[in-house]
Amino acid sequence: MISLVLADHDNSALKDTTLKAVTAASALGGDVHILVAGSACGSVAEAAAKISSVAKVLVADAPQYQNRLAEPLASLVVSLADPYDAILAVANTTGKNIMPRIAALLDVAQISDVTAVESPDTFTHPIYAGNAMQTVQSTDTKKIITVRTTAFKAAEEGGAATIEQAATTDDTGISRFVGEELSKSDRPELTAAKIIISGGRGMQSGENFAILEKVADKLGAAVGASRAAVDAGFVPNDYQVGQTGKVVAPELYIAVGISGAIQHLAGMKDSKFIVAINKDEEAPIFQVADYGLVQDLFKAIPELEEELEKLGL
């Protein structure tokens, strides 16, 4: 069996999520290859070749792949698909954009948000907003898989895979890159952060998120939010953690003023330790929390900040 993993990158650096997708591919058995498609992405290919369980890195370097548009990338992957039994990508915005198109072009079903590989044809993934886990068996000759990377450990480095140039495909011309607006922050990105402190509707306003930001800066944490807080306009959309936001699994997740709706729990319940601060002792968040504090957040968070200052943070 041979698997192909679509590298997650920004044309200059390979993202850690790729290493986790490689772990999922390795669980299928057989060789693992990585496709690095981009523009001026040689450094990404070199980093991919150092992953220990990777046998080969294919590089498709052309302007039409620079911005990760689904149409040219799907055309490229389909042109390379013949020798592969499985094609995997990270279940992020890019992966969710590209993989359904690949599945349709190959006339096979997609298996989404895989959290465990039971065998080369059997996989587990969440359904019903994460309230149930479903095990599915695919009889398709090619498996098209998106990987929920929070469920897999990163593959180790230390390999020396061969790097080969892949034949590029022509630009389909049916889509074009117009522009992008990226949020900039000195704090860690949500999906990569080891510590996250999130606020919910209980924060009452966007200005009040400043008290969470002070604690986050002391802990080196990222700041997140529930959908209720985002919908209320307290913080931007890219703060949202949950089923329709970002799925995270940090070492420590601190939920402040968050009731714990199903949609939010689906995005953070895999965190190693969950701490909940809420004045409502009946809040559902306490059912999944490892530690819970029933207290007004406007009293608890300043006290937490004071204690951190005492520790020299």
Side-chain angles (χ1 to χ4, degrees):
M1 186 169 190
I2 309 177
S3 300
L4 179 68
V5 175
L6 277 58
D8 186 20
H9 65 91
D10 60 3
N11 290 310
S12 59
L14 185 71
K15 296 185 179 180
D16 181 65
T17 48
T18 303
L19 277 67
K20 296 179 179 181
V22 167
T23 297
S26 298
L28 292 168
D31 289 341
V32 177
H33 297 177
I34 292 182
L35 171 62
V36 176
S39 180
C41 54
S43 59
V44 178
E46 291 175 4
K50 294 177 182 178
I51 303 174
S52 62
S53 51
V54 173
K56 182 189 296 184
V57 175
L58 299 176
V59 183
D61 196 326
Q64 61 265 34
Y65 307 132
Q66 179 176 357
N67 300 115
R68 315 283 287 159
L69 295 180
E71 291 79 6
L73 279 177
S75 176
L76 170 66
V77 173
V78 170
S79 72
L80 299 172
D82 189 56
Y84 295 104
D85 302 292
I87 301 172
L88 301 90
V90 175
N92 58 7
T93 302
T94 302
K96 291 177 180 179
N97 193 23
I98 297 170
M99 297 300 274
R101 181 175 290 271
I102 293 171
L105 291 171
L106 294 174
D107 195 24
V108 297
Q110 177 178 309
I111 307 167
S112 303
D113 274 328
V114 166
T115 58
V117 177
E118 309 296 341
S119 72
D121 65 355
T122 306
F123 311 90
T124 298
H125 68 161
I127 58 174
Y128 303 135
N131 282 302
M133 303 301 290
Q134 182 183 61
T135 300
V136 296
Q137 185 175 37
S138 172
T139 58
D140 287 327
T141 54
K142 292 187 186 298
K143 313 297 188 290
I144 305 301
I145 300 166
T146 59
V147 178
R148 179 169 288 193
T149 53
T150 56
F152 295 91
K153 293 183 179 180
E156 295 181 357
E157 298 184 356
T162 58
I163 299 177
E164 296 182 5
Q165 297 299 315
T168 60
T169 53
D170 294 332
D171 190 348
T172 58
I174 58 177
S175 64
R176 64 187 180 89
F177 178 76
V178 176
E180 63 185 3
E181 294 182 9
L182 301 177
S183 59
K184 295 181 180 180
S185 174
D186 293 331
R187 300 189 186 95
E189 202 278 325
L190 265 176
T191 56
K194 293 184 178 180
I195 302 174
I196 297 173
I197 180 166
S198 288
R201 194 194 302 274
M203 297 302 298
Q204 300 180 7
S205 72
E207 290 75 16
N208 288 334
F209 266 78
I211 65 174
L212 298 187
E213 292 169 353
K214 290 179 181 178
V215 172
D217 289 341
K218 292 183 180 298
L219 294 174
V223 177
S226 67
R227 178 172 179 173
V230 171
D231 287 348
F234 296 170
V235 290
N237 288 339
D238 58 340
Y239 278 50
Q240 186 176 327
V241 173
Q243 182 187 10
T244 53
K246 296 178 180 178
V247 177
V248 300
E251 296 289 318
L252 173 63
Y253 188 88
I254 306 174
V256 182
I258 295 175
S259 63
I262 291 172
Q263 291 81 0
H264 186 75
L265 298 182
M268 45 68 73
K269 64 184 180 63
D270 290 330
S271 304
K272 187 171 182 179
F273 292 104
I274 299 172
V275 175
I277 300 173
N278 200 302
K279 64 181 180 181
D280 179 10
E281 63 181 17
E282 300 297 328
I285 191 72
F286 288 121
Q287 296 177 15
V288 299
D290 297 287
Y291 301 95
L293 175 62
V294 179
Q295 192 176 52
D296 187 327
L297 68 90
F298 295 107
K299 183 176 186 297
I301 297 303
E303 289 178 351
L304 173 58
E305 184 185 355
E306 289 179 10
E307 291 301 321
L308 292 173
E309 286 180 351
K310 292 177 182 178
L311 294 173
L313 298 175

